[in-house]
Amino acid sequence: MKRKNLLALLAFLVATAALSAQTQVIAHRGYWRAPGAAQNSIVSLQRADQIKCFGSECDVLQTRDGVLVVHHDAHIGPDKILIEEADYDQIKDIALSNGETVPTLQQYLKELKKCKNTLLVLEIKEHSTDQKMLRATRDIVKMVNRMGLKKKVYYISFMPTICDELVRIAPKSQVAYLSNQMTPRQVKERGYTGVDFHYSQFQKNPLWVRECHELGLNVNVWTVNTEELMNQMLDLGVDFITTDYPEVLQKVIFERKLHGIF
Ligand code: MG
């Protein structure tokens, strides 16, 4: 092979390696710091897509009468209604800080269908009983599949009950465990596809990123909000970073590329 061709091939291989190793940006609860957005609002998903985030995270709970809603806390509104014990009618008009009413998962997924750049990192929240968590998990997977969004949804949860059920009923989907109650090896043994740990776990166990990769697990990390922490996690080579400041993270990644750091 001529030297020129060899150099071109080497440059290509280096670029491909860098590309495949690139850490992706996940907007935590959507890009809610954008104008007109609120946490877990439809607008926060739209804004995450507009700035080309790889993923937009959201939280899902189920009402007593079976409606799936996108909301972080177990309680909602000024009267702190417990979502899992309320009927949808009781909470449907509660407004988010941007004026939207609390979105249903169905509305959220309809919006996800329109997204050109962003997939959904869907957190299934803890409910008070296994029965409720299993019902929510099964209904969520059914809805995602029915809407043809299997490939555009990654699942995450703190609850092994939920992750185990996801592995069973959505075996081809990404399922990552959020809590610090398991090691990477235990996560792998349960059949999950990745970890989504708090960044302090990787500060304590920096070799875990490599261990996860050797086990074939994806590595996501939350919630990484300062440039210093972003650089630390990028140095460790995590696959995804979940942040409240997706544009800051995009800038940090861009600047590292300019300086040849991947
Ligand atoms: Mg969440």
Side-chain angles (χ1 to χ4, degrees):
M1 191 183 290
K2 282 184 185 164
R3 192 164 175 269
K4 205 170 144 191
N5 289 348
L6 185 66
L7 285 176
L9 177 66
L10 279 175
F12 173 76
L13 288 175
V14 169
T16 320
L19 213 64
S20 64
Q22 192 184 310
T23 304
Q24 303 287 358
V25 178
I26 312 285
H28 182 233
R29 303 179 195 170
Y31 184 19
W32 59 272
R33 287 181 181 272
Q39 292 189 359
N40 278 311
S41 63
I42 299 264
V43 175
S44 74
L45 172 61
Q46 292 168 334
R47 297 285 180 266
D49 187 50
Q50 279 163 5
I51 63 164
K52 298 188 165 68
C53 288
F54 178 83
S56 183
E57 192 256 2
C58 75
D59 306 287
V60 178
L61 285 154
Q62 189 165 40
T63 62
R64 178 173 55 190
D65 58 344
V67 179
L68 296 160
V69 294
V70 179
H71 190 70
H72 180 268
D73 296 349
H75 298 82
I76 190 166
D79 298 330
K80 305 221 170 301
I81 299 171
L82 184 59
I83 293 175
E84 66 167 56
E85 287 183 4
D87 285 336
Y88 176 60
D89 246 15
Q90 290 171 257
I91 63 164
K92 68 177 176 29
D93 297 323
I94 292 175
L96 308 180
S97 63
N98 68 340
E100 270 180 52
T101 50
V102 56
T104 63
L105 181 62
Q106 190 165 29
Q107 290 164 342
Y108 224 74
L109 293 179
K110 272 187 193 160
E111 204 55 42
L112 178 66
K113 272 200 154 188
K114 296 183 210 157
C115 290
K116 292 195 166 59
N117 308 295
T118 299
L119 56 74
L120 194 64
V121 178
L122 191 161
E123 180 180 349
I124 306 180
K125 301 301 284 185
E126 180 177 6
H127 294 63
S128 62
T129 65
D130 279 359
Q131 199 186 9
K132 285 181 180 176
M133 289 192 275
L134 291 174
R135 179 177 76 146
T137 304
R138 289 167 191 161
D139 288 353
I140 289 166
V141 169
K142 249 185 255 164
M143 186 180 286
V144 167
N145 292 353
R146 196 177 61 233
M147 293 177 76
L149 288 165
K150 257 186 200 177
K151 289 187 181 153
K152 273 182 104 171
V153 175
Y154 287 10
Y155 296 103
I156 57 174
S157 185
F158 279 95
M159 308 307 294
T161 306
I162 290 171
C163 291
D164 289 346
E165 184 64 4
L166 285 166
V167 168
R168 197 179 73 79
I169 64 174
K172 287 187 181 154
S173 293
Q174 297 287 325
V175 177
Y177 180 61
L178 284 162
S179 164
N180 62 1
Q181 303 297 310
M182 286 186 211
T183 62
R185 187 158 292 281
Q186 289 168 323
V187 166
K188 179 68 182 178
E189 280 165 5
R190 292 181 90 109
Y192 310 161
T193 60
V195 302
D196 190 350
F197 289 157
H198 187 257
Y199 61 80
S200 60
Q201 288 297 102
F202 295 112
Q203 289 173 324
K204 269 185 261 168
N205 308 286
L207 294 178
W208 273 12
V209 178
R210 196 201 290 173
E211 189 184 336
C212 284
H213 287 157
E214 283 169 2
L215 290 165
L217 296 170
N218 284 323
V219 179
N220 193 347
V221 57
W222 53 274
T223 304
V224 179
N225 283 344
T226 68
E227 291 196 26
E228 190 188 347
L229 276 175
M230 288 169 185
N231 275 303
Q232 260 183 39
M233 295 300 121
L234 289 164
D235 287 342
L236 287 178
V238 301
D239 302 295
F240 310 101
I241 293 179
T242 303
T243 178
D244 289 314
Y245 297 88
E247 283 193 308
V248 174
L249 178 55
Q250 286 174 333
K251 185 194 73 158
V252 169
I253 291 172
F254 178 76
E255 283 169 358
R256 286 171 67 104
K257 267 193 218 162
L258 277 185
H259 293 99
I261 312 166
F262 295 99

